[in-house]
Amino acid sequence: MKTKVNRLMIGILMFLALPGMGQDWQVPADQLNIENPSSYNLENVKKGKDLYLQNCKSCHGDPGKNNHLPLVPPPPDITSEQMQANTDGGLFYKITKGRGGMPQFETTISADDRWRLINFIRNYNSENEQLLIDAPPVNAKILASVNEADKKVEILAEYEDKSGNYQQLENAPVFISAKKAFGNLLLGQALTDKNGRSVFSVPETVIGDEEGNVTIVVTLDENYKADQVVLEEAKVGKPKEVPQLIRKEVLWSTNENVQIWLLLSYLGAAGAAWIAIGYVIFQLVKIKRFSKQ
């Protein structure tokens, strides 16, 4: 049954690809030589990778593994000469407009992100320095402390070299978040210097608890295997304003804030309840008295 379903899906995909069979994919001349306005750097390449995994991998497969879907024509591996022979403008046009089984991404991926996607594809171009390398995470560790007076987080990051010794971790992105009830809220990121150190200024807009305390969480990215550092209740945020009605200490002293009809309704309901209780007790006493007689 599963095999039949797979064959049916492949047949549907091949049918969708028919309009694109047997003809070259021509790119308009005015689009062909448009240069990529997005800088070729690690940040953009990483963003492009995320976009590729979400939107392209299901058909094109893993880079360099030629495990694409069996479509006609076959989706090229992004590391292949066929893919890399495209100009940046050509790739942008094809990603934007789509054709046959290749969907258009003009309405689902912003123009900036489409260019970042091309940066990721160029990560596998032999003429470029490969910025993003799929490698196992490196063992690392983080030390961090909070300077509450200056509202800054001071960080030291190190990695374990091949000899098992820890060295300063240079040019590594460090992420600083605030711990919330439902996950962490990213406050920003910093980059370590040549000594593995970094300083992050907590934004003035960060709101803490009623006293301004914030629990800070410091982590490295997925390229490093390191325990996160949690700095409990650092006084670096703005005190949270709590509505007076829900403050614990004023639970029974809110009459001045209550509308009169609500107060009278409460007193009436409470009085009725006590009268009902009294009536029941009275009836129980009467029953007991009659039973003795």
Side-chain angles (χ1 to χ4, degrees):
M1 182 66 181
K2 187 175 180 180
T3 302
K4 291 182 179 179
V5 172
N6 290 339
R7 288 176 179 174
L8 177 61
M9 291 299 296
I10 291 173
I12 293 173
L13 292 172
M14 291 180 67
F15 174 77
L16 293 174
L18 284 176
M21 294 175 60
Q23 53 183 331
D24 294 332
W25 195 343
Q26 299 294 331
V27 177
D30 62 336
Q31 302 291 316
L32 199 58
N33 295 317
I34 296 178
E35 295 184 359
N36 188 346
S38 178
S39 300
Y40 180 70
N41 56 42
L42 183 59
E43 182 179 359
N44 285 333
V45 171
K46 281 184 175 180
K47 177 63 178 177
K49 178 183 178 181
D50 293 338
L51 293 164
Y52 179 82
L53 296 177
Q54 294 171 13
N55 302 282
C56 314
K57 180 186 172 182
S58 57
C59 291
H60 288 268
D62 299 298
K65 296 186 177 178
N66 288 308
N67 56 355
H68 54 76
L69 280 183
L71 301 177
V72 180
D77 190 297
I78 65 169
T79 68
S80 65
E81 292 183 3
Q82 179 187 355
M83 178 69 82
Q84 296 297 334
N86 288 279
T87 63
D88 285 356
L91 285 173
F92 184 80
Y93 176 83
K94 292 177 180 178
I95 294 170
T96 301
K97 300 298 182 183
R99 190 189 69 162
M102 165 84 177
Q104 64 84 13
F105 290 99
E106 187 171 14
T107 57
T108 55
I109 302 178
S110 69
D112 288 343
D113 282 347
R114 275 176 267 152
W115 286 116
R116 293 188 178 98
L117 184 54
I118 294 170
N119 278 325
F120 174 63
I121 295 173
R122 293 307 187 205
N123 183 64
Y124 299 98
N125 190 307
S126 58
E127 296 181 359
N128 292 336
E129 177 189 0
Q130 191 171 3
L131 301 179
L132 192 61
I133 302 173
D134 293 328
V138 177
N139 289 332
K141 61 182 179 182
I142 315 168
L143 298 175
S145 61
V146 175
N147 184 331
E148 293 184 344
D150 296 332
K151 295 188 176 182
K152 292 183 177 180
V153 182
E154 298 171 345
I155 303 148
L156 170 64
E158 297 179 327
Y159 74 97
E160 185 179 19
D161 63 17
K162 294 181 180 179
S163 302
N165 300 316
Y166 278 89
Q167 308 289 341
Q168 295 90 346
L169 181 55
E170 183 179 354
N171 292 327
V174 183
F175 300 92
I176 297 88
S177 306
K179 189 174 183 180
K180 298 294 182 181
F182 301 98
N184 297 332
L185 173 65
L186 181 65
L187 302 179
Q189 70 178 80
L191 199 66
T192 58
D193 62 14
K194 63 180 181 181
N195 296 315
R197 294 184 179 277
S198 181
V199 177
F200 177 78
S201 297
V202 178
E204 295 182 356
T205 55
V206 173
I207 297 175
D209 61 12
E210 294 179 51
E211 298 178 353
N213 294 320
V214 180
T215 295
I216 301 291
V217 180
V218 183
T219 58
L220 294 173
D221 67 13
E222 69 277 6
N223 294 315
Y224 300 97
K225 185 178 180 181
D227 294 333
Q228 65 181 16
V229 174
V230 179
L231 304 168
E232 300 282 355
E233 297 186 348
K235 202 176 187 62
V236 293
K238 293 170 59 178
K240 179 172 64 176
E241 295 184 4
V242 180
Q244 188 177 1
L245 286 175
I246 62 174
R247 289 181 182 173
K248 296 179 181 177
E249 65 270 21
V250 295
L251 182 62
W252 297 103
S253 59
T254 58
N255 289 354
E256 61 184 19
N257 300 309
V258 178
Q259 295 183 20
I260 188 64
W261 68 268
L262 183 61
L263 180 60
L264 292 176
S265 299
Y266 170 77
L267 294 176
W274 281 111
I275 290 174
I277 294 172
Y279 177 76
V280 170
I281 295 175
F282 176 73
Q283 293 299 324
L284 291 174
V285 172
K286 284 178 65 178
I287 293 172
K288 185 176 182 181
R289 185 183 302 166
F290 288 141
S291 64
K292 288 181 178 179
Q293 292 176 356

